[in-house]
Amino acid sequence: MPTSSSDAGAWFIDGDGWCNMARREVSPNCDERPDGCVTDLLVVHNISLPPGVFGGPYIADLFCNRLDYEADPYFDQLRPLRVSAHFLIRRDGEVVQFVSANRRAWHAGVSVFDGRERCNDFSIGIEVEGTDHEPFAEAQYPALARLTAALRERYALTDVAGHEHIAPVRKTDPGPFFDWGRYRNELAKIIDGAQLRFPAGLVKSQAAGTEKFEK
C-alpha cells in the first residue's frame, strides 16, 4: 500500500492502539504492559522467512502461531517460539499490524536500553522485511517514517533503537544495510527530527563485525 509523502498526515493510531493504514492480522503473542509503564522506545528489527526469502505468508504465520513447520527445513527450529512484533513493513511498503501498540508484544527478548531491562515492557517493535546482508527496499523507508510519526503522535516516544543496540551480541538486526540516515531524513519530512533520539556515533555492527557511522 505505498502512498505519497503528502498523505503522511492521514496516518494515525486510534485509541485502541491500531494503525488505520495497516492491514490487521491479530497475534496472540502479547499481553498487558506493566501498570504505569510509559511506552517511550521504538525498536527496529529485520526479518525474512525462510532467511533471505521475501514475500509469502510465513512471517505472519509465525507471529500468529499457524506456521507450517514442514514447509521449509529451517522452520523446525522455530517450533518453540511464541513471538510477535507490533508491526511488519513489507518490501513494497505495506504495513501489517499484529498487536495493538497499547499492549506488550513479544519481540525484543532479553534486552536492555539505557539501563532499563525488559524492553518489551516499554517499547513498540517494528519488523522491516529484510536481512543483514542486502539493502532494504526503497518503499520501506517512507512507510517506516509515516508509521513512526503516527506512533509519536499517540505515545510518548523519545528514542529509536535497533534490536542489535538493545541485545548486543545476541542480535544483529536491523544490521549494516539498514540506512539510519535515510530513515531520519524521511521522518524529518513529517515531524521535527529533534522529537526522537536515534543511534548516534561510531558503533560496531554486530552483523558486519566492522565499525560504521550511524547518523
Side-chain angles (χ1 to χ4, degrees):
M1 85 181 174
T3 51
S4 67
S5 59
S6 62
D7 68 2
W11 292 54
F12 66 85
I13 310 298
D14 68 24
D16 293 325
W18 296 94
C19 179
N20 68 314
M21 291 293 195
R23 178 167 60 84
R24 191 180 305 187
E25 293 205 33
V26 179
S27 170
N29 299 330
C30 61
D31 57 5
E32 297 301 320
R33 297 187 188 274
D35 289 343
C37 187
V38 176
T39 304
D40 57 12
L41 175 65
L42 193 64
V43 179
V44 180
H45 306 253
N46 79 44
I47 189 170
S48 58
L49 284 179
V53 177
F54 304 136
Y58 299 124
I59 298 172
D61 288 349
L62 174 66
F63 289 171
C64 295
N65 298 345
R66 59 176 186 245
L67 182 63
D68 177 4
Y69 299 109
E70 307 301 326
D72 186 275
Y74 178 82
F75 294 164
D76 189 63
Q77 65 189 284
L78 304 179
R79 290 180 187 273
L81 294 185
R82 294 294 180 267
V83 295
S84 180
H86 291 91
F87 298 93
L88 167 68
I89 299 179
R90 293 285 195 180
R91 301 291 286 186
D92 64 357
E94 180 191 25
V95 178
V96 185
Q97 185 169 2
F98 299 95
V99 175
S100 161
N102 291 349
R103 306 195 79 207
R104 176 170 59 187
W106 304 341
H107 64 98
V110 178
S111 51
V112 179
F113 179 78
D114 198 23
R116 294 179 293 166
E117 298 182 350
R118 297 174 56 90
C119 292
N120 283 344
D121 290 353
F122 52 88
S123 70
I124 294 170
I126 302 177
E127 295 276 5
V128 185
E129 188 174 23
T131 75
D132 290 354
H133 311 295
E134 59 190 294
F136 291 82
E138 287 295 308
Q140 292 177 293
Y141 291 101
L144 178 58
R146 294 178 192 121
L147 178 58
T148 301
L151 290 166
R152 179 64 181 76
E153 285 295 311
R154 172 63 63 177
Y155 302 98
L157 296 178
T158 58
D159 292 272
V160 180
H163 202 186
E164 64 181 315
H165 302 120
I166 64 171
V169 180
R170 189 176 69 85
K171 293 295 181 179
T172 62
D173 57 310
F177 285 93
F178 184 78
D179 189 339
W180 288 96
R182 171 71 187 279
Y183 176 21
R184 292 190 69 176
N185 289 340
E186 290 289 344
L187 188 60
K189 298 175 184 177
I190 309 169
I191 63 173
D192 179 2
Q195 293 181 4
L196 287 171
R197 290 189 294 263
F198 281 74
L202 197 61
V203 299
K204 178 163 287 192
S205 168
Q206 299 294 332
T210 58
E211 290 182 333
K212 63 176 181 172
F213 188 79
E214 293 184 340
K215 298 179 181 179

